[in-house]
């Protein structure tokens, strides 16, 4: 359904969207899709690039809906809403609505009527426990607080830093671009988190983060 909505949006607004593109492949071989919205979507312009992603945790399904809604909101209000028009004209806006596809599919398979609470991806850890928390697998400060070395833990950080194909996909994608902001959507907590996550210390951009 997510892929179908991306295809539909592109068919309705081909002048504002790229066709969906392959960001990478999951551990079980599923495609991770992305799409750009801009006034010249097929051209790499000298405009700031921004990124939105969702569903790094498989049970946080509202994040997909939020991103798909925002994509459609930008397209449907372009040319009439001045803020939307400014953003689309002056930014290259990338969206990856569904990063942890395997975990999402697992929830659909095990709880077809909804309510699936699987969080991690579906790596076979070889110990009877499955899954790595993709949000704890990034290479920077990989062993920081808030992650676990236990393969059965909900916050298992993986066998090594950046071991998961989903993380490799988004890291490679980010390194191939020049994103000025990256907003990764979660649900439940009702918070806006900004760096750093591994320490209570502040970044040099702390004032800007708080202003945003």
């Amino acid at each position: 359904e997510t892929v179908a909505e991306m295809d539909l949006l592109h068919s309705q607004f081909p002048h504002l969207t790229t066709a969906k593109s392959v960001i990478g492949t999951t551990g079980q071989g599923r495609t991770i899709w992305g799409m750009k919205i801009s006034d010249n979507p097929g051209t790499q312009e000298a405009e700031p690039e921004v990124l939105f992603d969702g569903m790094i945790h498989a049970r946080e399904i509202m994040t997909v809906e939020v991103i798909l809604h925002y994509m459609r909101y930008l397209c449907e209000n372009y040319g009439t809403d001045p803020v939307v028009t400014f953003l689309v004209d002056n930014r290259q806006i990338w969206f990856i609505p569904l990063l942890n596809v395997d975990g999402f599919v697992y929830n659909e398979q095990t709880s077809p009527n909804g309510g699936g609470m699987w969080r991690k991806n579906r790596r076979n850890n070889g110990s009877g426990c499955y899954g790595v928390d993709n949000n704890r697998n990034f290479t920077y400060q990989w062993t920081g607080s808030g992650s676990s070395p236990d393969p059965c833990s909900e916050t298992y950080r993986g066998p090594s830093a950046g071991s998961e194909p989903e993380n490799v996909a988004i890291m490679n994608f980010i390194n191939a671009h020049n994103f000025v902001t990256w907003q990764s959507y979660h649900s439940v907590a009702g918070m806006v988190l900004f760096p750093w996550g591994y320490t209570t210390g502040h970044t040099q951009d702390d004032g800007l983060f708080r202003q945003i």
Side-chain angles (χ1 to χ4, degrees):
E1 291 170 336
T2 300
V3 172
E5 170 63 13
M6 295 172 77
D7 287 340
L8 176 62
L9 193 67
H10 178 57
S11 70
Q12 293 172 326
F13 301 96
H15 59 298
L16 296 177
T17 64
T18 61
K20 67 182 186 297
S21 57
V22 178
I23 304 299
T25 304
T26 69
Q28 294 183 340
R30 296 183 175 91
T31 300
I32 302 167
W33 296 104
M35 178 180 284
K36 184 172 81 170
I37 294 177
S38 188
D39 59 334
N40 295 296
T43 303
Q44 180 64 33
E45 298 183 282
E47 296 175 345
E49 294 182 281
V50 298
L51 174 62
F52 294 86
D53 77 53
M55 189 63 81
I56 197 169
H57 289 146
R59 63 192 181 198
E60 299 176 6
I61 62 174
M62 185 52 64
T63 64
V64 180
E65 302 299 327
V66 168
I67 290 178
L68 291 177
H69 177 81
Y70 187 45
M71 293 169 68
R72 179 162 289 280
Y73 178 84
L74 290 175
C75 290
E76 291 183 346
N77 290 277
Y78 178 74
T80 56
D81 184 293
V83 174
V84 168
T85 303
F86 175 86
L87 290 173
V88 174
D89 282 347
N90 294 280
R91 299 289 184 271
Q92 300 178 94
I93 312 172
W94 278 95
F95 296 90
I96 304 173
L98 211 171
L99 186 63
N100 182 2
V101 190
D102 293 347
F104 186 36
V105 170
Y106 180 75
N107 274 330
E108 287 189 323
Q109 292 170 340
T110 57
S111 302
N113 295 319
M117 290 300 289
W118 186 259
R119 166 188 171 98
K120 301 184 285 184
N121 70 5
R122 290 299 296 167
R123 169 189 278 273
N124 185 345
N125 295 320
S127 58
C129 296
Y130 285 79
V132 169
D133 182 346
N134 292 114
N135 203 42
R136 305 295 190 274
N137 188 242
F138 290 107
T139 54
Y140 187 71
Q141 296 291 334
W142 174 62
T143 59
S145 63
S147 67
S148 172
D150 179 4
C152 297
S153 170
E154 291 256 283
T155 57
Y156 177 47
R157 58 181 173 246
S160 61
S163 60
E164 303 312 290
E166 300 87 0
N167 293 78
V168 171
I170 195 166
M171 287 190 293
N172 286 343
F173 182 71
I174 288 171
N175 288 335
H177 292 263
N178 186 28
F179 292 113
V180 295
T181 63
W182 169 24
Q183 298 173 67
S184 184
Y185 274 96
H186 294 253
S187 63
V188 179
M191 299 177 180
V192 177
L193 308 181
F194 55 85
W196 300 115
Y198 73 95
T199 175
T200 57
H202 294 172
T203 72
Q204 64 182 8
D205 298 312
D206 188 71
L208 177 60
F209 280 129
R210 293 176 186 274
Q211 181 182 353
I212 293 172

